[in-house]
Amino acid sequence: MGRKTAPLADRELSWLAFNARVLQEAEDPTVPVGDRLDFLAIVSSNLDEFFRVRVASLRSLLRLGKKTAAELGVEPRALLAEILRAVDVQQTRFGVVLREQVLPALRERGILLVDERQLGEAETTWLRTFFEREVRPRITVLGLDQEPPPFLENRGLYLAVALEPAQGPRIAAGPQEIALVAIPPAVPRWVCPPAAQGERTVLFLDDVIRLCLPALFPAHAIAGAWSVKLTRDAELSLEDEFSADLVTALRRALAKRSVGVPSRFLYDPDMPDAVLSRLRNRLGLEAEDLFRGGRYHNLHDLFAFPRFDPGGLRAPPLPPLPVLDDAPSILAAVAERDRLLHFPYQSFEPVLRFLREAAEDADVDAIWITLYRVAKASAVVDALAAAAKRGKAVTAVIEVKARFDEEANLDAAARLEAAGARVVYSDPELKVHAKLALVSRREGGESRLYGYFGTGNFNENTARIYADHALLTADTRLTRESRRVFAYLLGETEEPRFKHLMVAPFGLRRRLRRLVNAEKKAALGGKPAAIVLKLNSLEDPKSIRWLYDASAAGVPIVLIVRGICRLVAGLPGVSETIEIRSIVDRFLEHARVYRFYAGGKDRVFLSSADWMTRNLDRRVEVAFPIYDESCRAQLMRFLELQLADTVKARRIDAEFSNTYVRDGSAARTRAQLDAYTWLAGRGEKDARKPA
């Protein structure tokens, strides 16, 4: 296939299609209403980040000028228009789900969301007292006409309040005074006044402030109050998102801009045009910055919506299953054989035990680890700090460019350095995304290495909701090569070589291509061939061309892609043998699994790397083979369940229609619940049997 003929779906529209799949969960009447609120919160949060990063980037391209953008092969204006149409559709669906489905379902359970116009006298009195005690001391008021003009915080919530003199006629030629009242983030967004028996009343904090505006402005009459919110450019790492030529052009454009320029100004559609015009002028906004929103913004706060009695509002919990609890020592259990962990179905505790044992074991002399996103008050960092304080040589390679987690990572670095650990920050041009830990233990006069290889972060909090796999192993084929990865990260070697691990930027791309081409060659020779890939994102054009070529040769390919997917399935002569599905359920699918038939050997790899250009070329990533038969059987079982899902799986097609996978049978497979049941009922002993 010619390089220029490979069709690619648009990245941004593909991402929006993923967000639409999340919205489908909120629309699903079989999902408990409390969980539907959570999915709405995720949709809102996703769109917020999308505007901060992706839309802000496209807006930057517009500033390059038509000629420059054309030379780079980019047409941002038409794409932006298409994006905004898709976002508008999602926001309309969002409003319908919230107003017409979720809130009525809550009302049936006695939970009422009301505003300041629907209150009784007792509730009003209670709220005024609450305002004076809890809210007023934390409120900031900005005058729109102050000098310099007010600066709106990124994603901060404000009420634009139109004020008129409390007494006497308004001067006809004089404009209304406009104040911006910051809704304080230190006060919970939801306020629950005492309610009638059997009912629970909830208000947005915004409406409590609306109710009490006369107390804030006693010398004025309130002519109106409308919610506004400004989202600012996240100043993303450009190398993660664009080609080198485009990065150079964008950096020139960004050098002329102030930090955190506006990317979206949301306003209440009931706001008068004259008020909106004054806000735009004083805040230095462009017409394309303005977006009609609703009466309320920052609806990711629906995560914190009061559930009161949780009975029936959420799906039954799936507590993490204990694993290796009966092992007196994690290190001894790993020395016996490889151990594969499955989060969040199984507990993250073995990972913490692995690090804590290493900290306490007198024979352990060194620990190396990569940290990309850590929890606040991280138990992982606690264990590493304890090891350093006991005199172990602890080395932590910390990625401080993990978007939106920079602060937590810097805090972790400071804690580790204070404990005596060696902290190494990644190269500014090369993110470290691999999830590795290595423990060196003296045994029989020699050092033995124990390794951890994961698809997800060392984060005990996200391990409760992200579906990931992790391998604990003492297999020298893997641990010795893991040590080479750390040697590179620590500047001990410049060009490490690997036989068993596939490592970016040192050959991961090249070796993946060989694996795909081996399946292609087998198919062309009339032999069985197959590829199954489970990814968060499939974006890299070169990788997509490999898969198109393999499909044209007759290789059956199944892709399980959670988010962005630029490959187009089912095209005659191009991708007829490719099927793409996506699973959105109660856990976030985060694992990357590569399976190749390999002449019946079933070569299976786990990895931190998606098939995106940034992951294959501009990050340190590791894909690791699963050699242990029992571990491989467990992974095959997970893949089988995902490929059989007829409840939460959707097909990804060229139209981004997100149709559910159905087989017409009465029996239904729901991969996540069935995986949990399988692990709980059969346990690790049965998991050793081939699936």
Side-chain angles (χ1 to χ4, degrees):
M1 174 178 299
R3 175 174 291 238
K4 295 183 179 179
T5 62
L8 296 173
D10 180 77
R11 169 181 169 146
E12 321 304 341
L13 297 177
S14 178
W15 184 92
L16 286 170
F18 156 67
N19 206 44
R21 293 192 285 277
V22 180
L23 184 54
Q24 283 179 320
E25 290 298 295
E27 293 171 323
D28 187 346
T30 68
V31 174
V33 65
D35 294 334
R36 294 174 75 180
L37 279 170
D38 286 347
F39 282 114
L40 287 173
I42 294 169
V43 170
S44 177
S45 179
N46 283 348
L47 283 176
D48 225 26
E49 181 173 342
F50 183 69
F51 272 86
R52 291 186 68 198
V53 177
R54 301 304 308 173
V55 173
S57 303
L58 289 170
R59 296 277 301 280
S60 297
L61 293 178
L62 283 174
R63 293 181 173 91
L64 293 178
K66 186 175 181 180
K67 181 179 178 181
T68 305
E71 289 172 353
L72 294 166
V74 178
E75 298 179 2
R77 193 172 300 279
L79 177 57
L80 269 174
E82 198 166 354
I83 286 171
L84 297 181
R85 282 194 293 270
V87 169
D88 188 58
V89 168
Q90 289 189 17
Q91 289 181 326
T92 299
R93 287 170 57 188
F94 184 107
V96 169
V97 174
L98 181 61
R99 292 189 307 270
E100 300 181 15
Q101 299 175 28
V102 172
L103 293 181
L106 289 171
R107 195 176 302 121
E108 290 176 1
R109 292 164 172 79
I111 301 173
L112 283 65
L113 179 63
V114 301
D115 62 36
E116 79 280 6
R117 299 164 294 191
Q118 300 168 288
L119 299 170
E121 183 177 348
E123 292 171 315
T124 299
T125 300
W126 187 92
L127 287 168
R128 291 189 192 281
T129 301
F130 171 82
F131 173 82
E132 292 295 332
R133 184 181 68 247
E134 302 292 340
V135 184
R136 186 168 186 165
R138 297 173 173 84
I139 275 184
T140 300
V141 178
L142 305 170
L144 187 62
D145 295 321
Q146 70 184 39
E147 292 296 342
F151 180 86
L152 270 59
E153 295 293 334
N154 177 50
R155 295 192 292 177
L157 295 174
Y158 297 84
L159 291 178
V161 184
L163 304 171
E164 295 181 348
Q167 296 180 349
R170 177 169 167 254
I171 300 174
Q176 291 174 317
E177 183 180 347
I178 296 177
L180 290 166
V181 178
I183 297 174
V187 181
R189 188 77 186 280
W190 308 104
V191 182
C192 303
Q197 180 121 14
E199 291 184 348
R200 298 289 188 271
T201 301
V202 184
L203 284 87
F204 279 93
L205 176 61
D206 320 28
D207 288 332
V208 177
I209 296 174
R210 291 177 199 267
L211 173 70
C212 300
L213 283 174
L216 278 180
F217 303 101
H220 296 81
I222 309 299
W226 307 275
S227 178
V228 298
K229 170 192 169 183
L230 184 63
T231 301
R232 296 184 179 276
D233 188 335
E235 295 299 324
L236 71 164
S237 174
L238 297 174
E239 288 81 0
D240 271 358
E241 308 296 333
F242 299 111
S243 67
D245 289 343
L246 196 50
V247 166
T248 300
L250 276 170
R251 287 217 178 276
R252 291 195 191 108
L254 288 171
K256 302 175 184 178
R257 299 166 51 198
S258 59
V259 174
V261 299
S263 63
R264 181 172 63 156
F265 182 76
L266 282 170
Y267 63 92
D268 186 329
D270 291 336
M271 178 184 291
D273 290 343
V275 175
L276 180 60
S277 178
R278 289 185 60 193
L279 286 168
R280 175 188 164 187
N281 291 336
R282 286 297 294 162
L283 298 176
L285 303 172
E286 303 292 338
E288 58 264 29
D289 295 327
L290 307 180
F291 292 86
R292 287 167 57 92
R295 178 178 167 92
Y296 309 102
H297 307 308
N298 276 8
L299 291 179
H300 55 76
D301 286 334
L302 288 169
F303 272 128
F305 189 87
R307 268 54 167 192
F308 302 104
D309 179 2
L313 293 184
R314 290 185 177 276
L318 298 176
L321 300 166
V323 58
L324 294 175
D325 275 16
D326 57 350
S329 163
I330 294 292
L331 293 176
V334 175
E336 178 187 352
R337 64 179 178 84
D338 287 1
R339 307 289 177 157
L340 193 62
L341 306 175
H342 312 285
F343 314 124
Y345 310 98
Q346 294 176 327
S347 171
F348 192 73
E349 185 61 24
V351 181
L352 299 178
R353 283 184 62 195
F354 176 72
L355 295 173
R356 289 166 180 159
E357 281 187 25
E360 296 169 2
D361 190 327
D363 292 321
V364 168
D365 51 25
I367 302 171
W368 300 265
I369 195 168
T370 60
L371 297 177
Y372 188 74
R373 297 186 191 276
V374 297
K376 293 182 178 179
S378 167
V380 170
V381 174
D382 287 344
L384 295 170
K389 289 177 181 178
R390 288 185 170 92
K392 317 293 185 186
V394 176
T395 302
V397 179
I398 296 185
E399 179 53 72
V400 293
K401 301 184 296 297
R403 187 184 298 154
F404 307 135
D405 282 293
E406 297 91 343
E407 183 178 352
N409 287 3
L410 287 171
D411 287 345
R415 289 172 59 197
L416 289 172
E417 286 182 323
R422 177 188 180 189
V423 172
V424 177
Y425 298 104
S426 64
D427 187 296
E429 303 301 322
L430 195 67
K431 275 190 178 182
V432 177
H433 194 246
K435 325 297 184 185
L436 303 175
L438 198 60
V439 169
S440 173
R441 187 173 188 271
R442 296 184 299 273
E443 296 180 10
E446 297 181 353
S447 290
R448 186 175 189 182
L449 295 173
Y450 293 80
Y452 174 98
F453 300 80
T455 67
N457 295 302
F458 288 99
N459 188 314
E460 61 271 26
N461 294 338
T462 57
R464 297 293 300 269
I465 54 176
Y466 285 23
D468 276 303
H469 305 291
L471 177 70
L472 287 167
T473 181
D475 188 327
T476 56
R477 292 172 293 182
L478 304 181
T479 57
R480 287 175 181 172
E481 293 196 358
S482 176
R483 181 66 184 91
R484 292 177 200 165
V485 176
F486 281 105
Y488 167 73
L489 295 175
L490 300 175
E492 299 167 3
T493 183
E494 292 185 0
E495 192 74 25
R497 295 180 178 273
F498 303 96
K499 179 180 179 181
H500 302 279
L501 301 181
M502 297 191 293
V503 181
F506 305 108
L508 174 58
R509 175 186 290 280
R510 181 179 66 254
R511 292 179 61 184
L512 287 174
R513 184 176 186 179
R514 287 178 186 169
L515 288 164
V516 173
N517 284 344
E519 300 301 317
K520 171 185 169 182
K521 182 178 179 180
L524 289 172
K527 299 177 181 178
I531 298 172
V532 178
L533 300 176
K534 181 177 181 336
L535 303 166
N536 294 336
S537 298
L538 174 57
E539 170 271 344
D540 178 60
K542 293 179 182 178
S543 304
I544 292 171
R545 282 193 291 271
W546 309 337
L547 296 172
Y548 282 153
D549 289 344
S551 177
V555 179
I557 300 172
V558 182
L559 307 174
I560 308 169
V561 185
R562 186 191 81 220
I564 296 167
C565 184
R566 300 195 67 193
L567 186 148
V568 183
L571 297 176
V574 177
S575 54
E576 290 179 272
T577 67
I578 301 179
E579 175 192 353
I580 316 172
R581 57 176 56 204
S582 182
I583 295 174
V584 178
D585 202 347
R586 61 191 296 175
F587 301 137
L588 179 84
E589 292 294 338
H590 193 252
R592 294 85 164 181
V593 186
Y594 318 151
R595 175 191 172 191
F596 302 92
Y597 183 70
K601 296 178 183 177
D602 266 324
R603 299 190 67 183
V604 182
F605 299 82
L606 292 174
S607 182
S608 56
D610 288 306
W611 285 26
M612 302 181 76
T613 303
R614 69 186 188 189
N615 298 86
L616 300 179
D617 297 337
R618 300 191 298 273
R619 289 187 172 187
V620 176
E621 303 275 14
V622 172
F624 48 98
I626 302 301
Y627 288 138
D628 181 87
E629 182 181 349
S630 106
C631 294
R632 189 164 58 248
Q634 293 173 53
L635 277 182
M636 297 286 276
R637 180 59 178 158
F638 268 85
L639 286 177
E640 285 178 355
L641 290 172
Q642 299 229 326
L643 295 175
D645 194 306
T646 55
V647 179
K648 295 297 184 181
R650 286 82 155 169
R651 286 191 173 86
I652 297 181
D653 56 27
E655 291 74 35
F656 305 121
S657 57
N658 289 332
T659 55
Y660 283 91
V661 175
R662 299 287 187 260
D663 63 6
S665 66
R668 305 199 315 163
T669 299
R670 185 173 173 183
Q672 291 190 355
L673 293 188
D674 290 350
Y676 184 87
T677 301
W678 172 69
L679 285 172
R682 298 177 63 180
E684 189 175 352
K685 178 180 179 180
D686 288 334
R688 296 186 197 182
K689 300 177 182 178

